[in-house]
Amino acid sequence: MTSVSELTSPLTLLPRAQAGDEHAMNHLLTAITPYVARICRSITHDDGADATQEALLAVYRGLGSLREPAAFYGWVRSVTVREAIRTARRYGAERCCSEVDSQEETNPLDAVHISDVLERLSQAHRQVLTLRAYGLSEEEMAEVLALPVGTVRSRLFRARRRFQEAWQPSAA
């Protein structure tokens, strides 16, 4: 019998889940659910629960294709972002990405202002800024958004400029 302490680490569960151990798979999915849900909520807002469910299902179905256990969290992030964007598109979400997790102490009003500025940007610009905030490279963003890398670079450049313009309006 497997002890509870062994079930605390998703990386410990991974080989057993890939081998078809349903108990290990259940514990693995339970362990990554908060991480997946946080990413989905920031991309889809109101459709976060649906996106989380879709992402967990995609992880469940694709887990056998993961060859390198050390890449587990990066792979989960990639699958989650892809599914969240698909869900947002499917539901016609006009809003994307309101908050980015921060490790620093910040002024709570900054989060309100950032959210306000992001809401004024186009969906395409919000998407690339959110994906960048989650650490995706331009190539990864291009893959997730099904766009050429050049288009992603252009959107990212324009999104940053629009954000800066909206954040610090010129004193006219």
Side-chain angles (χ1 to χ4, degrees):
M1 185 106 211
T2 306
S3 73
V4 174
S5 63
E6 287 181 275
L7 297 177
T8 58
S9 169
L11 295 180
T12 303
L13 298 167
L14 187 58
R16 293 191 303 237
Q18 286 181 310
D21 181 339
E22 290 180 26
H23 188 67
M25 178 65 81
N26 185 42
H27 279 79
L28 178 70
L29 292 174
T30 300
I32 65 170
T33 296
Y35 174 67
V36 169
R38 188 172 54 249
I39 294 170
C40 288
R41 270 192 316 272
S42 71
I43 294 173
T44 63
H45 287 285
D46 296 334
D47 300 318
D50 291 336
T52 299
Q53 184 176 8
E54 292 295 328
L56 289 171
L57 186 58
V59 167
Y60 173 79
R61 288 180 177 155
L63 196 58
S65 68
L66 179 65
R67 300 286 175 236
E68 183 55 47
F72 177 69
Y73 281 102
W75 177 78
V76 168
R77 182 190 68 200
S78 178
V79 168
T80 300
V81 168
R82 183 179 61 241
E83 292 303 321
I85 289 174
R86 284 183 185 163
T87 300
R89 285 181 180 156
R90 184 171 50 246
Y91 290 113
E94 295 196 5
R95 297 186 311 161
C96 177
C97 69
S98 70
E99 54 186 274
V100 176
D101 292 335
S102 174
Q103 304 297 333
E104 303 173 23
E105 290 288 322
T106 59
N107 181 345
L109 288 178
D110 284 347
V112 173
H113 296 303
I114 290 169
S115 179
D116 180 54
V117 171
L118 285 172
E119 290 299 322
R120 289 186 268 153
L121 298 177
S122 70
Q123 179 179 1
H125 288 165
R126 285 191 306 264
Q127 283 178 337
V128 294
L129 289 175
T130 299
L131 295 177
R132 177 60 91 189
Y134 275 107
L136 271 67
S137 69
E138 292 165 350
E139 291 77 17
E140 290 170 324
M141 287 190 278
E143 183 180 329
V144 166
L145 296 170
L147 295 170
V149 174
T151 302
V152 169
R153 287 182 180 139
S154 174
R155 281 188 188 175
L156 190 56
F157 175 80
R158 287 187 179 101
R160 286 176 175 154
R161 188 169 22 157
R162 299 276 188 294
F163 185 91
Q164 287 174 339
E165 289 168 357
W167 183 258
Q168 299 173 350
S170 61

